[in-house]
Amino acid sequence: MLSKKINNRITKAEVTVAQKSSSSAPENGLYIVFGRLFLLLFFPQKKVNRKHEHREICNSLLTSNSYTMLIKKLILIALLLSQMSCKKFLDTKSNQTLTTPSTVADLQMLLDTWYSINQRDANSPLISADEYYLTTEDWLTLEEYERNTFTWQPANLFVPGTGNDWANNYNIIYNANTVLQEIEKIKPVKQAEWNNAKGHALFLRGKSFFQLLTIFSPAYDEATAANDLGICLRLSPDFNIPSVRSTVKQSFDQAINDLQQSIPLLPLKPIHPLRPSKAAAYGYLARAYLYMRQYEKAGLYADSALAIQNTLIDYNSPVPGYFDPNTDFPFSRFNPEVIYSCGTGSPSSVYYGYTDTVLIKSYDENDWRRTLYFAGPQIGSFKGSYEGTEDLFDGIAADECFLIRAESLARANKKEEALNDLNHLLLNRYKSGTFSPVTAITATEALNIILMERRKELFLRGLRWQDIKRLNKEGANITLKRTVNSKEYSLPPNDFRYALPIPEDVIKITGIPQNPR
């Protein structure tokens, strides 16, 4: 077990307190009803068959005191507006106080728009990686932008406007910057709520900066990071400030700093998995340092996340409300493994794609994942998402943290400790009585086994693209190949195209340099 201390490392006492304490504000029926109506109006359900999820999210968030106060304000505003309805429209004057966030509850509301914050993560890494293939017939049905992404074209990968991976992340960053600016003007009444809102904003900004870096910048390399093109570090909601591209090093420094600064402000565990916590921040720092190939730090942060939340689902035992192997989607959303919940819709090319046949064959006959993840070869029948639907989960969960810690230990030549983590995970994945603990002669052999299990466990979590980029920097020599419409396309290791092109309309408007092609 890694024992070296890191900044903001939690103590066992903190974990004990978190486990023993739980509180929720009593429901006020009138405010809950109005609040649910408000959320239904402004955050509509994505799919009809997910009404129960939408209701659960509304109920969880609306039972907090901050929301009760916010709903009171909304009711008051509605009543005032109703009194003004008889006046002529042109005679009314807008009141900026109705739209400018002025309380911690208002700011928290900006961060709790769960569909735009938690359900719009990037899907271009899913399309670009090697977890599936397409037939020519299916490829030809795609929009041009998605066909281009699938075949690693040098340009025109993203639909112009506000619905692409670049814009979605910067929309989140804008909301976070608004909160970080306005919250300093508000004197804390309840310090914990003030802290949570600020920590939430820092977490989201750091997470979004990191995601943008994994897509639009080259793989992190300590030797070149000070010169490689990074992202635009928007640190203010003022859109009049020109956008400029920072270096990869500067960009990662900011993302890491945001996540680290969020830790002392966030609770150990959130009131709902759609909100971040200390464990979630530790988890994203572990993921970021793994991508940066700073493996010791990755292991330490994964260890800190697991000190708070380390539950694994035993795939042999149904868990009412969370895991039922006899349903279309065995894993419910917000199941006990989930530390922070977010995801993305399944892109058309992924949905109609077919799972890599070599990967499918790598699952043992006694491995529950073979049947719980896959109903058939087509990815549209993939049922292993921790979103509990055909949407794809890419948040932080305990299984990923165990694998990060195991990889870190193997790279530190701590073979037995690494295999202990791996075997603990796999024991919960194999049919009872069939699992034989994994053994390895060397740490390198253990590492290779862990990396393969990482592919199998974290299938379609949006992490394979990150892994290909970082592992190729270490000589893995992974070349991606796809054949459609009688033509073979390839992406050799460390090619410029591993940094996807920034949307062309962004380049035109801002004048920032495009990625080399």
Side-chain angles (χ1 to χ4, degrees):
M1 181 68 64
L2 294 169
S3 59
K4 184 178 178 181
K5 292 186 179 280
I6 56 178
N7 291 335
N8 298 317
R9 180 82 178 243
I10 63 157
T11 66
K12 291 183 179 179
E14 286 178 288
V15 177
T16 303
V17 170
Q19 291 171 341
K20 290 182 178 179
S21 65
S22 63
S23 62
S24 61
E27 285 197 9
N28 184 316
L30 177 63
Y31 298 133
I32 296 301
V33 170
F34 274 97
R36 188 175 294 122
L37 288 172
F38 179 81
L39 287 178
L40 286 170
L41 283 171
F42 288 95
F43 315 127
Q45 300 158 36
K46 188 177 179 184
K47 295 182 178 65
V48 175
N49 63 2
R50 293 175 64 181
K51 286 183 179 179
H52 66 286
E53 293 180 10
H54 194 269
R55 188 179 300 114
E56 177 187 351
I57 294 164
C58 294
N59 286 340
S60 299
L61 294 177
L62 289 167
T63 52
S64 66
N65 286 328
S66 62
Y67 272 86
T68 300
M69 293 302 297
L70 181 58
I71 298 307
K72 286 180 180 178
K73 286 189 174 184
L74 292 170
I75 295 171
L76 178 59
I77 291 169
L79 290 172
L80 289 172
L81 290 175
S82 69
Q83 296 300 314
M84 297 164 55
S85 62
C86 62
K87 293 180 178 290
K88 291 182 180 179
F89 175 76
L90 292 177
D91 290 339
T92 62
K93 296 181 180 180
S94 63
N95 186 343
Q96 287 296 324
T97 62
L98 298 183
T99 56
T100 302
S102 60
T103 69
V104 173
D106 294 341
L107 297 175
Q108 186 64 60
M109 192 75 169
L110 285 176
L111 305 174
D112 284 335
T113 52
W114 67 275
Y115 179 65
S116 59
I117 298 291
N118 297 83
Q119 293 299 112
R120 302 291 297 277
D121 272 5
N123 57 37
S124 55
L126 287 162
I127 301 171
S128 301
D130 61 351
E131 294 175 297
Y132 73 105
Y133 66 93
L134 280 172
T135 65
T136 295
E137 181 182 8
D138 288 327
W139 179 75
L140 289 171
T141 66
L142 301 176
E143 291 186 359
E144 178 186 1
Y145 298 100
E146 198 162 344
R147 291 202 305 270
N148 289 343
T149 305
F150 182 80
T151 53
W152 311 298
Q153 295 304 303
N156 296 313
L157 271 58
F158 298 99
V159 177
T162 59
N164 56 56
D165 290 349
W166 178 275
N168 288 339
N169 273 289
Y170 277 106
N171 285 336
I172 294 172
I173 291 166
Y174 176 82
N175 278 4
N177 284 334
T178 299
V179 171
L180 292 171
Q181 174 180 278
E182 297 301 320
I183 201 164
E184 298 300 334
K185 304 173 184 177
I186 301 171
K187 183 178 180 180
V189 176
K190 295 182 178 180
Q191 190 66 52
E193 293 180 0
W194 191 96
N195 287 350
N196 186 74
K198 183 175 181 179
H200 194 161
L202 286 165
F203 171 90
L204 289 177
R205 191 172 72 179
K207 170 185 174 292
S208 295
F209 281 154
F210 170 62
Q211 185 168 90
L212 287 164
L213 280 162
T214 64
I215 300 168
F216 296 104
S217 290
Y220 187 88
D221 187 329
E222 190 68 39
T224 62
N227 296 312
D228 290 337
L229 280 173
I231 57 173
C232 300
L233 294 175
R234 303 291 304 182
L235 303 178
S236 167
D238 185 355
F239 54 81
N240 292 306
I241 299 174
S243 292
V244 294
R245 292 191 72 173
S246 301
T247 67
V248 164
K249 184 180 187 311
Q250 291 168 335
S251 301
F252 267 100
D253 285 348
Q254 183 64 54
I256 294 292
N257 183 68
D258 281 349
L259 290 168
Q260 288 176 333
Q261 292 300 313
S262 75
I263 293 171
L265 298 168
L266 293 170
L268 281 179
K269 293 185 177 181
I271 64 170
H272 195 282
L274 288 171
R275 283 189 182 178
S277 60
K278 280 181 169 62
Y282 287 137
Y284 272 101
L285 283 163
R287 184 185 286 182
Y289 277 120
L290 187 80
Y291 179 74
M292 296 169 72
R293 296 182 292 129
Q294 297 184 19
Y295 296 113
E296 182 181 10
K297 290 180 179 178
L300 287 167
Y301 278 111
D303 185 49
S304 289
L306 291 169
I308 303 172
Q309 189 167 342
N310 55 26
T311 301
L312 291 175
I313 299 173
D314 183 351
Y315 286 7
N316 293 283
S317 305
V319 181
Y322 292 111
F323 169 58
D324 185 350
N326 297 314
T327 58
D328 290 341
F329 296 98
F331 308 98
S332 69
R333 203 175 184 199
F334 318 131
N335 71 65
E337 285 191 19
V338 174
I339 296 173
Y340 178 74
S341 179
C342 59
T344 183
S346 181
S348 296
S349 64
V350 177
Y351 186 84
Y352 291 109
Y354 291 83
T355 307
D356 174 54
T357 54
V358 175
L359 182 64
I360 287 285
K361 291 177 182 178
S362 70
Y363 291 91
D364 189 89
E365 290 292 338
N366 293 312
D367 189 335
W368 278 118
R369 294 173 297 186
R370 189 179 183 113
T371 53
L372 291 176
Y373 282 14
F374 307 100
Q378 197 161 24
I379 290 183
S381 60
F382 175 68
K383 56 181 185 173
S385 171
Y386 279 9
E387 283 289 284
T389 67
E390 67 272 17
D391 289 346
L392 301 175
F393 174 84
D394 70 349
I396 294 292
D399 56 351
E400 181 187 354
C401 291
F402 274 110
L403 287 165
I404 291 175
R405 190 170 71 179
E407 182 177 343
S408 172
L409 288 163
R411 290 181 182 277
N413 290 314
K414 298 179 179 180
K415 180 190 69 172
E416 296 306 320
E417 292 176 72
L419 291 177
N420 285 343
D421 271 348
L422 179 63
N423 286 324
H424 176 62
L425 172 65
L426 294 181
L427 182 64
N428 288 278
R429 300 307 190 240
Y430 274 65
K431 296 177 182 178
S432 296
T434 67
F435 177 65
S436 297
V438 175
T439 60
I441 297 175
T442 66
T444 299
E445 182 184 356
L447 174 62
N448 290 333
I449 296 171
I450 290 166
L451 290 174
M452 187 62 210
E453 288 300 331
R454 180 176 168 86
R455 284 199 68 185
K456 292 155 67 176
E457 177 70 18
L458 306 179
F459 181 71
L460 289 185
R461 298 257 188 113
L463 299 173
R464 178 59 180 165
W465 184 247
Q466 296 178 29
D467 286 347
I468 294 170
K469 291 176 72 169
R470 71 179 174 96
L471 294 173
N472 272 341
K473 278 290 181 179
E474 299 187 341
N477 200 33
I478 301 169
T479 296
L480 305 185
K481 293 182 179 181
R482 283 170 168 164
T483 301
V484 287
N485 208 24
S486 302
K487 183 176 180 180
E488 182 178 275
Y489 299 87
S490 66
L491 187 65
N494 305 313
D495 191 278
F496 280 135
R497 289 171 292 166
Y498 276 104
L500 302 190
I502 294 171
E504 283 72 16
D505 58 331
V506 173
I507 300 297
K508 183 177 180 180
I509 293 169
T510 64
I512 60 175
Q514 180 61 278
N515 286 325
R517 312 319 292 155

